[in-house]
């Protein structure tokens, strides 16, 4: 199987310094105040398309390109594709399932072109992560409170949905697949299997980045898994990075990043929200505040790659770039031989 040159290059760069990924796309798209016609473009899909941010890679690629380049200008070493909901399950809400392949190819192509142009300018490597969101379905939980055993989808169906998206992202030029905002560990496993099977089909390594989101202050995701249990449940996939994103902001995420930092024997990437939203759903945390929190993470040797999630902007990324400059990157944890099993909590059987 052909190994990933991009993965080796990322590891090499991450051994020298703390790297920067990008920030939120949705936050930036809101600044354009696009109407439904701008979202819909030439497509007659029978549903209102306003809010279908993934469709903009086809109908307003100039907007997505401008946002991508704004993050590269701010210092991002890696940019993600505008494809968080570009899957058949999520796009069924917009009657846009037929466009999913085109969405992913184009999302990756936009990011690839910008990344390559910036790398050509200064010689600094730039990377593209194909963003794969969790969908709006869950494999672990029933959506019907009166029927705990009911599931809206099954594992094989979700795996096929992910595989379809992954194929488009790789065709479009993504270096890595970022399985992010994981609220259900079983959903993540379906995504992992999709990537592994696509890798076998193509006979080339497709590096994975895996990022969990915490849904309560105890440090668990929606399916109830602790950070330790989650890591032991996905470690077999040998991800290029493991990490946390979204959640409650950098200050409240710190202890959980620290926990994962002491466990993970791979690169750690964390990209929190810009604080918590206010009563109007807006994020008030200033870039300098976020940068202050991230600098403390860097001082403590907790991270290899940092960036922003909901509410973050190029200004936040620029503040982070300034904050982490000069700090050495985190050293991967050393794990003693042991049997590590995962239910909702970990169980470790020493060797």
């Amino acid at each position: 199987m052909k190994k990933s040159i991009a993965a080796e290059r990322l590891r090499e760069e991450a051994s020298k310094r703390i790297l920067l990924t990008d920030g939120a796309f949705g936050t930036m798209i809101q600044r354009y105040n696009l109407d439904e016609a701008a979202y819909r473009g030439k497509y007659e899909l029978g549903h209102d398309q306003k809010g279908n941010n993934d469709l903009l890679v086809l109908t307003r690629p100039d907007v997505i390109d401008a946002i991508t380049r704004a993050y590269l200008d701010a210092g991002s070493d890696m940019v993600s594709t505008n494809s968080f909901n570009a899957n058949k399950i999520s796009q069924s809400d917009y009657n846009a399932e037929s466009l999913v392949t085109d969405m992913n190819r184009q999302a990756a192509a936009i990011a690839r072109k910008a990344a390559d142009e910036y790398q050509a300018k200064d010689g600094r490597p730039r990377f593209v992560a194909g963003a794969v969101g969790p969908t709006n379905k869950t494999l672990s939980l029933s959506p019907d409170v009166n029927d705990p055993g009911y599931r809206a989808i099954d594992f094989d169906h979700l795996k096929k949905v992910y595989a379809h998206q992954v194929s488009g992202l790789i065709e479009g030029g993504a270096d890595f697949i970022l399985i992010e905002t994981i609220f259900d560990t079983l959903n993540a496993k379906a995504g992992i299997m999709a990537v592994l099977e696509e890798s076998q089909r193509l006979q080339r390594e497709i590096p994975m980045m895996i990022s969990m989101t915490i849904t309560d202050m105890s440090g668990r995701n929606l399916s109830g898994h602790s950070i330790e249990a989650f890591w032991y449940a996905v470690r077999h996939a040998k991800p290029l990075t493991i990490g946390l994103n979204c959640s409650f902001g950098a200050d409240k995420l710190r202890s959980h990043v620290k926990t994962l930092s002491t466990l993970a024997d791979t690169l750690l990437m964390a990209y929190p929200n810009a604080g918590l939203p206010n009563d109007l759903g807006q994020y008030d945390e200033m870039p300098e505040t976020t940068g202050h929190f991230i600098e403390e993470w860097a001082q403590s040797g907790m991270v290899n790659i940092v960036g922003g999630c909901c509410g973050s902007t190029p200004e936040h990324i620029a503040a982070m770039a300034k904050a982490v400059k000069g700090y050495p990157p985190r050293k991967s944890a050393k794990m003693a031989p042991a049997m590590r099993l995962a239910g909702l909590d970990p169980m470790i059987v020493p060797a």
Side-chain angles (χ1 to χ4, degrees):
M1 183 178 292
K2 185 178 180 181
K3 302 298 278 185
S4 169
I5 295 174
E8 289 305 311
R9 188 175 296 139
L10 182 79
R11 292 188 185 100
E12 181 181 352
E13 291 298 307
S15 70
K16 303 173 186 174
R17 58 193 171 87
I18 296 173
L19 303 181
L20 275 293
T21 186
D22 57 11
F25 268 78
T27 300
M28 296 299 294
I29 289 169
Q30 288 176 4
R31 292 184 174 183
Y32 285 82
N33 295 312
L34 301 174
D35 60 16
E36 198 275 340
Y39 277 91
R40 184 179 66 251
K42 67 180 181 181
Y43 299 101
E44 296 298 333
L45 298 169
H47 285 55
D48 190 313
Q49 296 300 313
K50 189 168 185 179
N52 189 1
N53 290 344
D54 306 85
L55 184 58
L56 293 174
V57 300
L58 301 177
T59 58
R60 288 297 304 270
D62 59 309
V63 169
I64 305 306
D65 181 65
I67 294 170
T68 301
R69 290 171 187 272
Y71 282 122
L72 289 165
D73 285 336
S76 294
D77 298 283
M78 182 175 73
V79 287
S80 53
T81 58
N82 183 57
S83 56
F84 186 82
N85 287 311
N87 62 77
K88 286 191 173 183
I89 291 173
S90 299
Q91 288 301 315
S92 66
D93 292 344
Y94 296 99
N95 198 34
E97 302 99 309
S98 63
L99 299 176
V100 165
T101 296
D102 291 341
M103 285 181 188
N104 285 287
R105 286 175 181 158
Q106 179 69 353
I110 290 170
R112 178 82 274 154
K113 184 174 186 292
D116 288 349
E117 288 180 8
Y118 274 72
Q119 180 173 319
K121 287 179 184 178
D122 59 15
R124 196 175 97 222
R126 304 302 203 287
F127 306 93
V128 173
V132 174
T135 81
N136 53 18
K137 305 293 184 184
T138 172
L139 290 172
S140 294
L141 304 170
S142 172
D144 184 351
V145 295
N146 297 312
D147 186 0
Y150 173 73
R151 296 293 184 270
I153 53 172
D154 62 32
F155 185 91
D156 287 341
H157 176 65
L158 183 56
K159 184 182 69 171
K160 289 178 182 177
V161 168
Y162 279 135
H164 184 238
Q165 181 175 16
V166 168
S167 176
L169 289 169
I170 294 301
E171 286 179 26
D175 294 310
F176 321 122
I177 295 298
L178 171 58
I179 304 171
E180 63 175 336
T181 320
I182 298 164
F183 62 80
D184 183 341
T185 304
L186 193 54
N187 280 36
K189 284 176 171 282
I192 288 168
M193 282 302 300
V195 175
L196 292 175
E197 291 181 5
E198 186 66 12
S199 178
Q200 285 293 328
R201 186 181 73 84
L202 296 175
Q203 280 298 293
R204 55 176 284 199
E205 179 188 10
I206 302 177
M208 274 179 271
M209 298 174 146
I210 299 175
S211 187
M212 171 185 173
T213 191
I214 292 168
T215 55
D216 64 47
M217 296 306 295
S218 70
R220 295 180 185 270
N221 63 5
L222 191 63
S223 58
H225 296 89
S226 68
I227 290 169
E228 298 96 323
F230 178 80
W231 169 233
Y232 297 152
V234 302
R235 181 173 175 256
H236 69 280
K238 299 180 180 179
L240 179 61
T241 69
I242 187 71
L244 301 170
N245 75 288
C246 207
S247 302
F248 311 108
D251 57 337
K252 294 181 173 61
L253 200 61
R254 187 218 185 268
S255 62
H256 306 302
V257 173
K258 178 64 175 177
T259 295
L260 187 56
S261 176
T262 62
L263 297 171
D265 53 355
T266 189
L267 300 175
L268 192 150
M269 180 168 75
Y271 50 115
N273 289 348
L276 288 169
N278 59 29
D279 291 340
L280 299 175
Q282 302 298 311
Y283 290 82
D284 298 323
E285 186 171 285
M286 299 299 291
E288 295 75 17
T289 302
T290 307
H292 170 74
F293 292 134
I294 298 298
E295 182 174 10
E296 196 280 327
W297 291 8
Q299 286 176 333
S300 301
M302 291 163 44
V303 288
N304 301 105
I305 306 173
V306 294
C309 201
C310 304
S312 60
T313 65
E315 291 79 15
H316 288 83
I317 300 305
M320 291 182 197
K322 181 179 179 181
V324 303
K325 188 174 182 180
Y327 289 107
R330 164 188 168 271
K331 300 294 184 183
S332 294
K334 303 294 183 182
M335 299 183 72
M339 178 189 294
R340 292 177 172 85
L341 306 176
L344 295 184
D345 289 296
M347 184 178 81
I348 303 174
V349 182

